[in-house]
């Protein structure tokens, strides 16, 4: 499959999103309900991606206590909560994931 | 707009450089992220050219991560496009927030700054616009400052992802680097979610995403996003406080 057209379409939609209010302002004010709704997009979308990544493998439920991704993800979550440091969160989470795999999980 | 032809090229350049300098510290966080994207994309099986092209075409970290993974799993093209769109929907918020300050610019400038508009460029630009607005003046070349900040991020992102793409082919899949997607998003959700309504939105979206993962065309993600946004807004309405979007005030 040729993926370039897919990326171009995704890129155009992203560009349109970024341009939207910048181009429209003057003719059209952003309704308050839309700006309020948009504020919830990042937390909603991010965790909609995180949860299945941690809990499922190839579409199937993984037993939590035998799931290194879930445990490492929880450890990473604690680091993120305490430090708000993106790089440290990735580093500790990946180290935990490797350590759990190493310990035979 | 007053035109000061003589000194203007000088002040344009000064504004541009100030934007570059103010953006610089942020690169410490974004460049490793770009590097990881490059490695991840190659691990997911994307050809080097395509992985790098995505940095210029889509130019959005989180969306590139998830798109690379979906492409690696040979997901339908429509799903990849829809996912990129939803993950990048938050940029509409930045667009709305910056719009009053960019109102007077030409369509070309608006398009250029919109293409370069990312979380990190927005964060730097809005601080400047609000500071100037509070001081009660609007220097004529503020947009050159925004361009400097945004361009710095753009070019460093291209370089960082290129390095990642270049070394990516030699990183074995057994390292489990695809897990960095979840880890990165875990880190980001803690910076994005502030206050109870946002956490309720996050939890609701997460649970719906797991329950609805079997739906075709990745509808689970879209459904989860919609459910999360709705639950967050309902919680906020119930609490009775309608915190105004603080960043759009002039």
């Amino acid at each position: 499959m040729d993926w370039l057209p897919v990326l171009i379409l995704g890129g155009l939609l992203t560009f349109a999103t970024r341009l939207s209010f910048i181009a429209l302002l003057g003719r059209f004010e952003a309704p308050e309900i839309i700006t309020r709704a948009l504020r919830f997009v990042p937390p909603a979308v991010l965790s909609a991606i995180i949860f299945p990544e941690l809990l499922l493998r190839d579409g199937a439920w993984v037993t939590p206590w035998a799931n290194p991704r879930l445990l490492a993800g929880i450890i990473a979550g604690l680091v993120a909560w305490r430090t708000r440091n993106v790089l440290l969160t990735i580093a500790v989470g990946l180290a935990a994931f490797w350590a759990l795999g190493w310990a035979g999980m | 707009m007053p035109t000061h032809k003589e000194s203007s090229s000088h002040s344009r350049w000064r504004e541009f450089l100030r934007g570059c300098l103010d953006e610089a510290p942020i690169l410490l966080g974004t460049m490793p992220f770009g590097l990881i994207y490059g490695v991840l994309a190659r691990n997911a099986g994307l050809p080097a050219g395509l992985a790098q092209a995505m940095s210029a075409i889509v130019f959005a970290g989180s969306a590139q991560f998830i798109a690379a993974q979906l492409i690696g799993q040979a997901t339908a093209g429509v799903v990849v496009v829809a996912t990129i769109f939803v993950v990048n929907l938050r940029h509409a918020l930045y667009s709305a927030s910056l719009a009053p300050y960019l109102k007077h610019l030409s369509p070309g400038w608006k398009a250029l700054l919109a293409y370069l508009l990312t979380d990190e460029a927005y964060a730097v630009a809005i601080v400047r616009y609000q500071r100037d607005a509070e001081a009660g003046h609007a220097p004529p070349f503020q947009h050159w400052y925004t361009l400097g900040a945004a361009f710095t991020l753009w070019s460093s992102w291209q370089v960082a992802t290129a390095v990642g793409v270049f070394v990516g082919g030699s990183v074995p899949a057994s390292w489990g680097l695809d897990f960095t997607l979840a880890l990165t998003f875990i880190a980001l959700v803690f910076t994005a979610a502030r206050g109870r309504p946002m956490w309720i939105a996050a939890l609701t979206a997460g649970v719906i995403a797991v329950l609805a993962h079997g739906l075709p065309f990745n509808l689970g993600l879209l459904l989860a996003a919609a459910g999360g946004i709705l639950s967050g807004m309902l919680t906020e309405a119930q609490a009775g406080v309608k915190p105004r979007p603080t960043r759009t005030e002039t």
Side-chain angles (χ1 to χ4, degrees), chain A:
Chain A
M1 173 156 185
D2 185 10
W3 290 101
L4 198 58
V6 170
L7 293 187
I8 290 175
L9 203 55
L12 281 176
L13 281 172
T14 301
F15 175 63
T17 307
R18 288 168 169 162
L19 188 61
S20 57
F21 290 106
I22 292 175
L24 285 172
L25 206 93
R27 273 161 282 174
F28 173 79
E29 285 284 328
E32 205 213 310
I33 188 146
I34 293 194
T35 53
R36 277 212 293 142
L38 285 173
R39 286 172 37 242
F40 289 102
V41 170
V45 167
L46 289 171
S47 72
I49 292 169
I50 296 168
F51 274 51
E53 280 284 318
L54 295 186
L55 293 169
L56 311 170
R57 205 77 202 120
D58 300 318
W61 174 261
V62 185
T63 320
W65 48 91
N67 181 353
R69 281 169 196 263
L70 178 61
L71 296 180
I74 291 171
I75 293 170
L78 289 173
V79 174
W81 175 47
R82 300 307 302 179
T83 68
R84 313 267 149 149
N85 183 325
V86 177
L87 280 185
L88 191 68
T89 304
I90 297 172
V92 172
L94 207 53
F97 179 61
W98 286 338
L100 288 167
W102 212 36
M105 192 182 247

